[in-house]
Amino acid sequence: MNLVILGAQWGDEGKGKIVDLLSSEYEVVVRYQGGSNAGHTVMVNGQKFILHLLPTGILHSHTIGVIAQGMVVDLELLVEEIKQIEGKGISVRDRLLISDRAHLVLPYHKTLDALLEKKGKIGTTLRGIGPAYMLKYARKGIRVCDLWDKDRFYSLVRDNLEFVEELCKKVYCEAFEMKVDEVVDRALENFEEIKHCVTDTSSYLLNTKKSILFEGAQGTLLDVDIGTYPYVTSSNSSALGLSAGTGLPPKFFSGAKFLGVSKAYTTRVGEGPFPTELKDEVGDLIREKGKEYGATTGRPRRCGWLDLVALRHAVKLNGLDGIVLTKLDVLDGFEEIKVCTAYKIGNETFENFPASLFLLEKAQPIYKSFEGWKESTYGITSAEDIPEKAMNYINFIERFVGVPVVMLSTSPERDKYIWLSEVFHGKRVGSSNIC
């Protein structure tokens, strides 16, 4: 049975380790949305890997990695990432499939990204992701398959450069200098490195008999439709993106298991509402203990208590079967730990996650407090070693969001985790021998 792993917060939940861990039992691992704005960090035998475009499961030598049609691909960064991984002794290009329908990120997308961010601060990674999707839906995008025809590719790039130049100079009164030959030549040079990997990935996924793990990037609350719009990413980073991002029919996922990854507290990067944010020494302590700095940008993350209203929103809209809880150890030693169970907005109490940015910016969290366990949970691998007060915290989360916490990740290392649910603990998550 196939598995979908999604971020259940504002990204940075620790999906990289979880995908790496669980993909050991799967044969194909698929990225289906976003681009190099993702940053999945995995520790393997003391060695750190940070992946931006490659599926995290590619670190296992038996897997096939798929970059599906919903992604926007920066070939420059992809080739660089492949070479870095191969430089550590892990083969990539003989196990990588890239959709011929995926759209490209080219240098002018990054120029446009910086300009748009300057004019209206969202907090993007400046990797060109938003403009690549913007031009895709304006029907001015360029796809991987366009690289096969050099003349066509040249024409498309030339037209886009003229469009971006006009936009920069006439609308934003900003200078723009970029030569079509340089953009085209560099893209084709990078294409030579990976063109044997390019194929119809939708057809491959529909016809394969192999087990598949689908790996989401960013997080549910950054989803362009159900997140904290406009402070979101430019793709469907929830389960909503699965069918369009893979080119597979919705029925394909009817038998899959869906797991959401959540920290034991909450973080976000960039601008946007964050009801439980702690702008005090407690928030600073969580940031330092949790090493909360962006894998892609290095920016310090905003930190706060666990927002269960937002987490329940993610559970419901993704149809999650369970939660993987990460970084519980960051809360070790706290005298008191809080979780948000509702919002106070004016004179009203909200138990559901509102769509309105106006309401979210005014939301005051209503907290339930727990006595801290003041014991170390770092690196533990047995459920018997979880402190009773920590289990009380976990049990409350389960009851509130309505699905079980099926696994704890207790350190960045691959082998430091605990299964808490026998339903999910087996040779393969959701396989017939355990369900």
Side-chain angles (χ1 to χ4, degrees), residues 17 20-21 42-45 59-60 411-417:
K17 172 189 171 173
D20 170 66
L21 174 64
V42 181
M43 294 292 294
V44 181
N45 299 323
L59 297 178
H60 291 275
S411 96
E413 290 290 342
R414 179 185 274 176
D415 61 346
K416 299 297 189 291
Y417 64 93

Side-chain angles (χ1 to χ4, degrees), residues 7 23 25 27 29 43 58 101 126 154-155 169 188 227 232 237 340 347 364 382 432:
S23 60
E25 300 297 339
E27 296 162 288
V29 182
M43 294 292 294
I58 202 77
R101 290 182 170 89
L126 302 178
Y154 185 96
S155 176
K169 291 181 176 179
L188 291 173
V232 291
S237 50
C340 173
N347 295 321
Q364 297 298 314
S382 170
S432 58

Side-chain angles (χ1 to χ4, degrees), residues 10-14 37-42 48-52 125 127 263 265-270 280-304 327 330 412:
W10 277 291
D12 310 309
E13 302 95 346
N37 53 342
H40 293 171
T41 304
V42 181
K48 180 186 284 189
F49 295 84
I50 300 178
L51 302 173
H52 298 285
T125 59
R127 295 290 184 97
K263 287 175 182 168
Y265 50 94
T266 308
T267 65
R268 83 171 295 174
V269 172
D280 57 14
E281 64 276 5
V282 177
D284 293 341
L285 180 59
I286 292 174
R287 181 181 303 107
E288 294 310 311
K289 289 185 67 177
K291 298 179 175 60
E292 295 295 351
Y293 298 89
T296 300
T297 63
R299 290 180 295 183
R301 296 179 184 135
R302 300 155 65 191
C303 298
K327 292 197 167 184
V330 173

Side-chain angles (χ1 to χ4, degrees), residues 255-380:
K257 289 291 184 181
F258 287 69
L259 293 182
V261 184
S262 169
K263 287 175 182 168
Y265 50 94
T266 308
T267 65
R268 83 171 295 174
V269 172
E271 305 297 319
F274 184 175
T276 65
E277 183 175 10
L278 296 169
K279 299 179 180 179
D280 57 14
E281 64 276 5
V282 177
D284 293 341
L285 180 59
I286 292 174
R287 181 181 303 107
E288 294 310 311
K289 289 185 67 177
K291 298 179 175 60
E292 295 295 351
Y293 298 89
T296 300
T297 63
R299 290 180 295 183
R301 296 179 184 135
R302 300 155 65 191
C303 298
W305 296 120
L306 182 60
D307 187 336
L308 290 181
V309 179
L311 184 57
R312 185 169 59 188
H313 174 73
V315 167
K316 289 181 177 179
L317 294 184
N318 286 312
L320 296 182
D321 297 297
I323 293 288
V324 176
L325 199 65
T326 65
K327 292 197 167 184
L328 184 72
D329 60 281
V330 173
L331 301 181
D332 295 349
F334 280 85
E335 294 283 342
E336 180 185 36
I337 297 166
K338 298 179 181 181
V339 295
C340 173
T341 58
Y343 303 141
K344 191 76 171 178
I345 306 175
N347 295 321
E348 291 187 68
T349 299
F350 286 71
E351 295 184 349
N352 294 318
F353 194 75
S356 168
L357 195 70
F358 174 78
L359 292 176
L360 275 172
E361 286 174 338
K362 293 181 177 296
Q364 297 298 314
I366 297 173
Y367 285 121
K368 176 177 174 59
S369 294
F370 292 83
E371 185 180 350
W373 42 92
K374 294 180 286 185
E375 301 176 52
S376 176
T377 60
Y378 184 84
I380 62 175

